[in-house]
Amino acid sequence: MHPGFRSRVRLLHLPVITVVACGILYACSDTLFATETSTAESADLAGYTPPADPLAPITVGPRELLGKKSMGEKAAAGLVGGLLGSALGGGGSGKAAERPRTRRDPSRKQDYIALEHGTNKLRTEARSLWTDDGLLISARVDKSPDHGTFQAVFLQSCDGQRLYPQEYAIYQLWSEQSLSVSWSKTTSSNGRMVSQQSGGWSDTWSEDFTPLQMAHSPLLPATWQELGFDRAEGGARELGATFRLSPAQLRQMDQLALFVHVTEPALDPVSTTASAWLLRPDSAQAPRLQAGGSSAASSDAAQSDGWQQWQQRCAHPEPLLLADAGDGSLASAVGGSIDVASPAMAAKLAGGDVPAGVQFLRPKGTGQTTGHIIDLTIRNDTSEPWDYTVPAMYIPSTGKYQSYVVPGGERHSIAPGTVHTVPVKGYCGDVRRPPVPAGVAMPPLEDWIVPGADAPVIAIPDRENAAPPGRAMLPGTDTALPRAVNPGLEPEVAGPLLLGALREIEQKTTELQQSGELRTPFSGNPEREHQAVVQQTIWLYAAELEGEPYTREEFTQRLESQYEDRTGVPIASASDEEQQKLQQGADSFWDAFELVGVEAKVISHGPAATAGETEPTEALPGVIGEPPAEKVKPPPCTPREDVNHSPKTVDVTVADSYGNDETRKKIRDGIRNAVQSNKAAYATATPPATAYSIWGHDHIGGISSAYAKVVFLEDNDQEWVWSTDPMDTRSRGTGIHTLSFNHGPECKSVVAGAALMWIKASSHAFDPLENSIEVFRVLDGVKEVSVKYVTDKFLPPGLSDAAEAGVDAITDPSSDTYAGATGNATLTVGGSRDQQSANNAVTYKRKDKEDKAVVGGGETIKKLFASDVKPGSLSSVLEAEAHLRAGATGNGLAKAWLESLYGTLLIGVCECPGGSAFHVLYDSGQFIRSEAAKQAVERAKQEMQQAAERINKSLANGQQRTDAASLKARAEGELKAWA
C-alpha cells in the first residue's frame, strides 16, 4: 500500500446504498466494504526502519494485523462476509476487490539465479536486464509455504550507499483471494449526500508518490505497501523493479549487491528473510548476477568467493543514504570515487586536514539562482562532532547550467555518525544560463576552485586570440585586465577574479545602503535589495570579464518578460503609464548596478578600458603579468546565441469533490513538479476531476477530465465523483532565439531561419447509460416504495433523508458534462509571422427521462510555419498559450487534451576577407500524449541535433551555398523534414 494511499484504505462507517434492480431489493449496510484481509489498524502502519545491515531481518509488524491469519480469523471473516452478503441481497461480499494488473516480464528469456534457504523452505530467484528506462531486476518468490511477499528490494554499493527502485511492475500474483484494496467514500451535509467516491487497485502512483529521504529520516513504505496491498501475505509473487542506472555507471562502480527481503507471514511478529546477489557489468543486454548469501540460519546455496570478498571489503555500520525514488540524480545516490572528494580536495574544502572518517559527497543543486544554491552532503563516521566552515569557492559551469560564486563563512557542526546536508549560499556567475535544477548533481567536487586564505596571487597569462576585457577591472583596484577571461576555458583564472569581485561588491553594496546613496525600487526591503544588487552586479562584472557585455537593454528586456509573465499582458499592449513605470524602474536598478560596480572598482566607468591606458601593471607586481606589447584585436567575426525562455508555468485545478485537501495538494504538487523538473509531464496521472495547463520549454499542453457518476458503466476501472465545480486553467509563455554576428565593416553576415509549430486539441466523451436507460425507468417507478422499505427496515433513525437523497441521485440520468482544450500560438521569424488556434471541446448532455444523449468529441490540428532571412541578426519568437477546462454534473465522462511540437532552426554565415565563419542554432519542445511519448520526445531532439550537424558539415566542406536564398531554403527544408 502506497503511503499516500494509506488514508483511503480504511473501513468507513458511513451509509452505503446497494441497488439490485432485477430483484427489486434495496438494502443498506453501515460498512462501505469488507474484504478478507482488510483492517482499519493495518492502514495506520507507516512502514519500517531500514536496518544498517542489508542482510539483517526486517521486523514488519504484528501477525494479527499484517501476517498470516489463523483458522479462527478466517472463519470469522467468512461469517461476516456471509452476513453482509445476505444483507445486500446477493450472497456476495459487497464491492469486490479489483485484481491488480499484471504485466509481461521483459526479462523472461533470461535464466533465473536462485537462492534456497533450508531453514524455512524459502526459494527466491532473480534475473536482470538493461532497458531504455534503466536496470530492470525481475525477482520471484518461487517457494514459500506461507505465501511470503516482497518487503524490500534495493541495490547497495561497496561504500554503503543504497538505491531503491523508481518503478515497480507486478508480473505474477500468489492468488486473487489475498487481494483487498478497494474503497469507497460517501460525504453527507445536513443529512443529504453531496458526493460519493469509489475505486480499487491502481498501478499508477504519480499523484501520491513522495521521494524517499535519508536513511536517518522516518519510516520507509514496504514494497507490498507501495504495490497497494494491506498485508504482508500473498499479493505479488513475481515483480519487476526498475532502477535509474546505466551500464556505464555500473562499469564505473564495478559491482553492486542486490538485496531482496521476503516476508514470513506465519511468524509473530512478521519478519523477513533476505537474499543477496552480486551484480557486475557484462553484456549490453544484461548485467551478470551471481548468487550471494542470505540472512537465513543456513542456506543450501554455497556462498561464492566473490560474495565473501564483498562482505569482508564492504561492511558498513549503516547505510549512507537512500536515493530519491522520484527524480533523484543517480550520481549522488549510488557511485564510486567520482562522488567522494579526494583527500586533497577535502582538505581544500575544509581549509585544512580532514579527520579520517569524514567524507564530502557530490552535492546537488537547488534550482535557485541566488541564496541557497547548493546542498553539500558531508558524512561523519567518526565518534566526535566535526565543525565545518564553508570556504569561498567558485563552481565552474558544465556548459549547460550556470556557474556559481560562493562567499563562504557559514559554520556548521556535523554530529558523529550522521550524514549532514550543508545549505551553501552564493550567487550565479552567468546571466545567460539556467541554474542547476533541484536534485540534479553539481559538477564534480574535484573541479571546484577553492583558492583558500593563503592562496598565491593569480597571474593572468597571455592567451592567443583572446578578446578585450570589456570594462572588467582587477577587483578593488584601478587596473584594467589585459584581456578577456573565459570561465569555461580557464576556470582557475576566472574563479579568483569572480571571488574577489564578489567580496568587493558585497562590501560596497552594504556601505552604499548604509549611507543612503543606493536607491532602488527595493529600498524598502534592504535585505532583498542587497541580494538583488549584488547578484546583478556580479553578472555585470562576469559578462564584462568574458567580453560579452550585459547591457541596460538586455536587463530591461528581462524585466519586460517578467512583467508579461506575471500579468499575461504583452508589454506593447500595456498602458503608457505602466510602460513608463517599468522603464523608470529598470533605469533606477541599472544605475544602482553601475554605481556599485564602479565604486567597488570591478568595472570602469564609461566605455571599456584598454590595457595600457590606465595605471601601469608595475603598480601591482606579479598580479596580472606584463601587458601585451600590442592591443589584442578581436576575431574578425564572432557568432552569438541569445536564448531566453519565460519560466515554466503550470496551472492545476482539482475539484473539491475529489479526495481531501491532502490528496488534492499531492496531485497539484505532483503535476507541477513533473513540469518544473523536466519530467515527462504527459505521463502525469489525471484523476476524474482535474484540469491542468502547462508552458514548458517551447511547448504547451495539458489534460482536463470530468468523470461523473458512472455507476452503470460496465467494467468501470475509472474513479468518479458525483459532480465537479467548473475547472478552468491557463498557462502562457514566450521563447526567443536570436543568432547574430559581431564583426567589423570589412565583413558581411546573413542569418536565415525557420520555425514550425504543430498544435493538436482533442476531446472525447462516453455515454455510460447508453444501454442502461431502461434501468433508470424501473428505478424511478419503484423509488418511493424501495426508499420506504430501506429506511424502515435497514437504516437507523435520522438517516432516512440521506438514503432518499442517495436514491434520487442514482435514479436521475440527467447530465451536463464537458471538457475542452485550446492552444493558441504565434510564430515570428524576422518579418514573417503565423498565428493559429487549435480548439476542441466535447459535451455530454442528457435530460431526465430522455433516451438519447448528446455526445461529441474529436480533434483539431493546426500547423504554423514562419521563415525569413536577415543580415547580421535574426530572431525566432514563439508566443503560446494553453487553455484547458472541464466540469461535470450528473452522469457522463468527458476528457480533453492538448499536444504540441515546436522546432526552430537558425543558420548564420559570416564572410570576411580573411575567411568565413558559420554557426547553427536550434531548439525544440514537445508535449505528446501517447504510450511512446518519452521515446518520441528523445527522438525528436536527436533528429534536430542531426539536422544541425548535417548543415554544419555541408557548410564546412563547401557543399552548402551561402547566399541568403539558399540558406533560407535549407533552413525551411530541414525543419519541414524534421516535423
Side-chain angles (χ1 to χ4, degrees):
M1 181 174 63
H2 190 276
F5 192 70
R6 190 175 308 115
S7 61
R8 304 181 184 177
V9 192
R10 299 179 184 270
L11 288 172
L12 302 179
H13 297 282
L14 296 170
V16 61
I17 299 170
T18 302
V19 182
V20 184
C22 57
I24 318 298
L25 176 63
Y26 300 82
C28 292
S29 166
D30 66 345
T31 301
L32 284 182
F33 69 90
T35 57
E36 279 195 334
T37 59
S38 175
T39 66
E41 292 83 0
S42 67
D44 293 326
L45 292 171
Y48 71 98
T49 301
D53 181 357
L55 280 176
I58 295 171
T59 299
V60 181
R63 171 178 167 173
E64 64 177 340
L65 297 181
L66 301 174
K68 190 175 184 65
K69 290 187 175 181
S70 65
M71 293 302 295
E73 289 173 315
K74 290 183 178 179
L79 178 61
V80 173
L83 291 174
L84 287 175
S86 299
L88 294 171
S93 58
K95 179 179 173 68
E98 299 182 38
R99 180 185 179 90
R101 303 177 184 89
T102 57
R103 303 180 188 175
R104 197 176 187 186
D105 184 358
S107 68
R108 59 191 177 275
K109 295 183 180 181
Q110 306 286 342
D111 292 330
Y112 274 120
I113 306 298
L115 279 169
E116 294 191 18
H117 313 292
T119 55
N120 52 10
K121 298 181 181 179
L122 176 68
R123 175 186 169 98
T124 54
E125 302 174 326
R127 58 192 177 197
S128 61
L129 183 72
W130 291 116
T131 70
D132 292 340
D133 295 322
L135 173 66
L136 172 66
I137 295 294
S138 176
R140 172 181 166 83
V141 184
D142 185 53
K143 295 179 183 178
S144 175
D146 301 313
H147 289 185
T149 189
F150 298 97
Q151 173 74 17
V153 181
F154 59 88
L155 301 172
Q156 184 157 323
S157 65
C158 189
D159 58 2
Q161 302 179 74
R162 287 189 185 174
L163 180 68
Y164 283 72
Q166 276 72 47
E167 180 183 344
Y168 289 111
I170 298 178
Y171 298 147
Q172 186 183 11
L173 300 165
W174 272 112
S175 63
E176 196 167 353
Q177 284 71 30
S178 64
L179 307 178
S180 59
V181 181
S182 60
W183 62 274
S184 76
K185 178 182 177 182
T186 300
T187 304
S188 300
S189 176
N190 298 324
R192 297 185 65 84
M193 180 167 56
V194 296
S195 71
Q196 185 173 15
Q197 300 168 263
S198 67
W201 189 92
S202 173
D203 60 355
T204 301
W205 299 106
S206 59
E207 67 188 62
D208 292 319
F209 199 80
T210 301
L212 301 177
Q213 303 299 324
M214 292 293 186
H216 310 284
S217 66
L219 307 179
L220 293 180
T223 299
W224 52 266
Q225 288 178 304
E226 292 197 84
L227 293 173
F229 304 110
D230 62 357
R231 292 184 86 89
E233 177 197 15
R237 184 178 185 179
E238 180 183 351
L239 61 73
T242 299
F243 296 84
R244 195 165 292 133
L245 180 71
S246 70
Q249 289 167 327
L250 180 57
R251 284 194 298 272
Q252 286 181 342
M253 292 177 282
D254 183 47
Q255 61 183 4
L256 291 171
L258 165 67
F259 295 93
V260 176
H261 282 256
V262 175
T263 63
E264 294 194 60
L267 298 180
D268 195 4
V270 178
S271 184
T272 67
T273 294
S275 302
W277 293 261
L278 280 182
L279 186 72
R280 291 174 170 170
D282 193 2
S283 67
Q285 287 73 41
R288 178 161 57 95
L289 272 180
Q290 177 183 342
S294 89
S295 61
S298 64
S299 175
D300 296 336
Q303 293 191 357
S304 66
D305 292 340
W307 176 251
Q308 292 175 352
Q309 294 172 6
W310 169 273
Q311 286 186 302
Q312 294 171 0
R313 183 169 58 93
C314 303
H316 281 81
E318 62 179 345
L320 177 60
L321 58 86
L322 304 177
D324 285 348
D327 187 34
S329 169
L330 176 74
S332 60
V334 175
S337 60
I338 62 169
D339 299 318
V340 180
S342 66
M345 190 65 206
K348 281 189 175 182
L349 290 168
D353 293 337
V354 178
V358 173
Q359 289 182 315
F360 288 84
L361 310 179
R362 191 169 185 178
K364 296 180 180 179
T366 64
Q368 300 299 314
T369 292
T370 308
H372 177 192
I373 55 173
I374 301 167
D375 283 331
L376 176 62
T377 304
I378 301 176
R379 177 180 179 178
N380 182 8
D381 284 335
T382 71
S383 58
E384 300 291 335
W386 184 63
D387 293 333
Y388 174 64
T389 301
V390 178
M393 51 190 173
Y394 172 68
I395 297 97
S397 168
T398 59
K400 183 176 182 180
Y401 302 119
Q402 58 193 220
S403 58
Y404 292 99
V405 190
V406 176
E410 300 96 352
R411 294 180 60 84
H412 298 268
S413 181
I414 318 299
T418 64
V419 177
H420 183 77
T421 300
V422 174
V424 177
K425 298 179 180 180
Y427 298 88
C428 164
D430 191 330
V431 70
R432 300 181 181 100
R433 286 192 173 96
V436 176
V440 172
M442 296 292 295
L445 287 164
E446 306 298 326
D447 294 341
W448 292 19
I449 308 299
V450 187
D454 300 327
V457 176
I458 299 295
I460 302 179
D462 293 341
R463 184 164 64 87
E464 188 176 355
N465 294 326
R471 295 189 290 153
M473 311 288 287
L474 187 70
T477 75
D478 294 317
T479 304
L481 299 184
R483 63 173 178 84
V485 175
N486 187 330
L489 299 177
E490 42 191 344
E492 69 287 347
V493 178
L497 290 170
L498 287 165
L499 287 169
L502 174 59
R503 181 180 62 251
E504 300 295 331
I505 290 168
E506 284 192 316
Q507 179 179 339
K508 188 55 66 174
T509 300
T510 301
E511 292 176 1
L512 292 172
Q513 281 184 308
Q514 293 174 347
S515 66
E517 297 177 68
L518 193 66
R519 302 298 300 170
T520 74
F522 286 172
S523 291
N525 187 337
E527 183 177 353
R528 184 183 182 191
E529 181 183 58
H530 187 278
Q531 189 177 70
V533 170
V534 171
Q535 176 62 87
Q536 292 286 338
T537 312
I538 276 289
W539 278 338
L540 179 59
Y541 177 76
E544 294 287 351
L545 177 68
E546 192 173 359
E548 296 286 345
Y550 178 38
T551 64
R552 182 189 297 262
E553 291 72 26
E554 186 176 354
F555 172 71
T556 303
Q557 289 175 1
R558 290 172 181 267
L559 283 186
E560 291 174 349
S561 296
Q562 291 180 8
Y563 172 86
E564 292 175 343
D565 294 338
R566 187 179 68 253
T567 64
V569 177
I571 189 63
S573 302
S575 66
D576 292 341
E577 182 181 1
E578 287 292 323
Q579 293 188 47
Q580 184 177 6
K581 285 182 178 179
L582 186 65
Q583 186 60 55
Q584 289 174 347
D587 290 340
S588 176
F589 270 126
W590 190 260
D591 290 343
F593 310 153
E594 288 275 353
L595 173 64
V596 171
V598 172
E599 291 293 316
K601 297 185 178 181
V602 296
I603 59 171
S604 61
H605 185 74
T610 302
E613 294 181 358
T614 58
E615 185 175 334
T617 57
E618 285 76 6
L620 291 167
V623 175
I624 58 173
E626 293 297 325
E630 298 180 3
K631 181 179 177 181
V632 178
K633 294 182 179 180
C637 209
T638 305
R640 176 174 175 176
E641 294 184 4
D642 191 3
V643 179
N644 291 294
H645 297 102
S646 57
K648 296 177 182 177
T649 60
V650 55
D651 185 11
V652 187
T653 297
V654 183
D656 290 340
S657 54
Y658 180 77
N660 54 31
D661 290 341
E662 182 181 1
T663 300
R664 292 190 290 271
K665 181 178 185 300
K666 287 182 177 179
I667 293 171
R668 291 191 293 266
D669 291 346
I671 294 174
R672 289 192 181 106
N673 290 339
V675 176
Q676 295 294 341
S677 60
N678 288 321
K679 285 185 182 177
Y682 38 74
T684 304
T686 50
T690 302
Y692 69 88
S693 302
I694 68 168
W695 156 261
H697 180 102
D698 290 328
H699 63 262
I700 52 175
I703 301 175
S704 61
S705 62
Y707 297 166
K709 206 174 73 173
V710 291
V711 292
F712 284 90
L713 178 61
E714 294 183 2
D715 300 325
N716 173 36
D717 60 356
Q718 297 286 352
E719 296 178 290
W720 53 275
V721 295
W722 284 99
S723 64
T724 77
D725 46 334
M727 297 173 289
D728 193 280
T729 66
R730 296 175 184 268
S731 289
R732 61 172 62 88
T734 303
I736 304 174
H737 304 79
T738 302
L739 176 59
S740 57
F741 284 92
N742 297 327
H743 57 75
E746 72 279 8
C747 306
K748 63 178 182 178
S749 61
V750 62
V751 183
L756 180 146
M757 185 81 175
W758 171 89
I759 315 173
K760 179 179 179 181
S762 307
S763 62
H764 169 73
F766 186 81
D767 183 0
L769 307 182
E770 183 178 6
N771 301 317
S772 308
I773 194 65
E774 290 300 325
V775 176
F776 281 88
R777 296 185 188 282
V778 174
L779 294 177
D780 188 62
V782 299
K783 179 172 61 177
E784 293 184 5
V785 176
S786 62
V787 169
K788 186 177 187 305
Y789 176 81
V790 169
T791 56
D792 291 345
K793 188 172 181 62
F794 293 100
L795 289 183
L799 294 179
S800 58
D801 287 344
E804 184 175 356
V807 174
D808 284 340
I810 290 177
T811 58
D812 182 8
S814 61
S815 176
D816 186 4
T817 300
Y818 68 93
T822 301
N824 299 303
T826 301
L827 290 183
T828 306
V829 179
S832 176
R833 181 184 177 93
D834 192 358
Q835 186 173 9
Q836 297 280 355
S837 178
N839 177 62
N840 205 284
V842 63
T843 301
Y844 170 75
K845 286 183 177 290
R846 181 189 287 277
K847 295 183 178 179
D848 188 19
K849 309 295 190 305
E850 287 191 358
D851 291 340
K852 296 295 183 181
V854 178
V855 184
E859 64 181 36
T860 303
I861 298 176
K862 295 292 184 179
K863 297 179 180 179
L864 298 78
F865 188 81
S867 64
D868 201 357
V869 59
K870 296 284 186 181
S873 179
L874 183 67
S875 293
S876 173
V877 182
L878 166 66
E879 300 170 90
E881 178 185 34
H883 180 201
L884 277 297
R885 63 269 182 201
T889 302
N891 290 277
L893 296 91
K895 191 166 190 174
W897 57 97
L898 181 68
E899 303 168 275
S900 68
L901 179 145
Y902 166 82
T904 189
L905 187 63
L906 302 175
I907 309 172
V909 175
C910 182
E911 297 178 331
C912 302
S916 300
F918 53 85
H919 194 77
V920 178
L921 169 60
Y922 65 95
D923 207 350
S924 64
Q926 303 88 29
F927 182 96
I928 309 295
R929 182 180 176 269
S930 72
E931 293 298 326
K934 182 178 180 180
Q935 293 85 348
V937 170
E938 292 303 319
R939 180 176 177 182
K941 291 179 180 178
Q942 292 174 2
E943 291 184 349
M944 179 66 81
Q945 181 179 3
Q946 291 169 1
E949 291 172 352
R950 285 195 300 270
I951 296 170
N952 273 309
K953 185 176 181 180
S954 298
L955 290 167
N957 60 26
Q959 294 178 348
Q960 172 64 47
R961 296 178 58 184
T962 57
D963 60 279
S966 298
L967 289 176
K968 181 181 178 183
R970 180 65 183 269
E972 292 176 344
E974 289 282 0
L975 196 60
K976 290 179 178 179
W978 170 78

